[in-house]
Amino acid sequence: SQTLFNVIVESESLEPASLRIFDLSGKIMQELNEIPVEQEVSAGADLKSGIYIMRIQQGDKIQNVRIIKK
């Protein structure tokens, strides 16, 4: 993305999720908590160009996604 990332957490559970964006050294660059399921949120608008890891966690379920900011 050149601007920001729009994220929708799809889940059978209604438990809110959290989202963290890490740089490749492991530093947390952004953190969003209490994200409602099935609702779009925006993240990463303030990130500089580079490669990051977006970690979405809902309860004990975790998904990591590599994102690129141009």
Side-chain angles (χ1 to χ4, degrees):
S1 174
Q2 292 182 345
T3 55
L4 52 84
F5 301 91
N6 293 317
V7 179
I8 298 174
V9 177
E10 296 178 351
S11 175
E12 294 177 5
S13 170
L14 296 178
E15 181 179 1
S18 64
L19 179 150
R20 290 182 182 90
I21 298 177
F22 298 88
D23 67 11
L24 293 181
S25 71
K27 179 182 175 186
I28 296 176
M29 304 302 292
Q30 184 174 5
E31 184 171 10
L32 301 172
N33 294 303
E34 301 296 319
I35 299 170
V37 176
E38 306 293 337
Q39 184 174 332
E40 186 175 288
V41 295
S42 298
D46 295 333
L47 296 176
K48 295 180 182 179
S49 296
I51 299 172
Y52 299 89
I53 302 297
M54 179 183 295
R55 174 177 287 176
I56 301 168
Q57 183 168 356
Q58 184 187 39
D60 61 349
K61 295 181 182 180
I62 298 172
Q63 182 171 359
N64 293 313
V65 179
R66 184 178 72 140
I67 57 175
I68 300 172
K69 180 76 177 267
K70 292 185 178 188

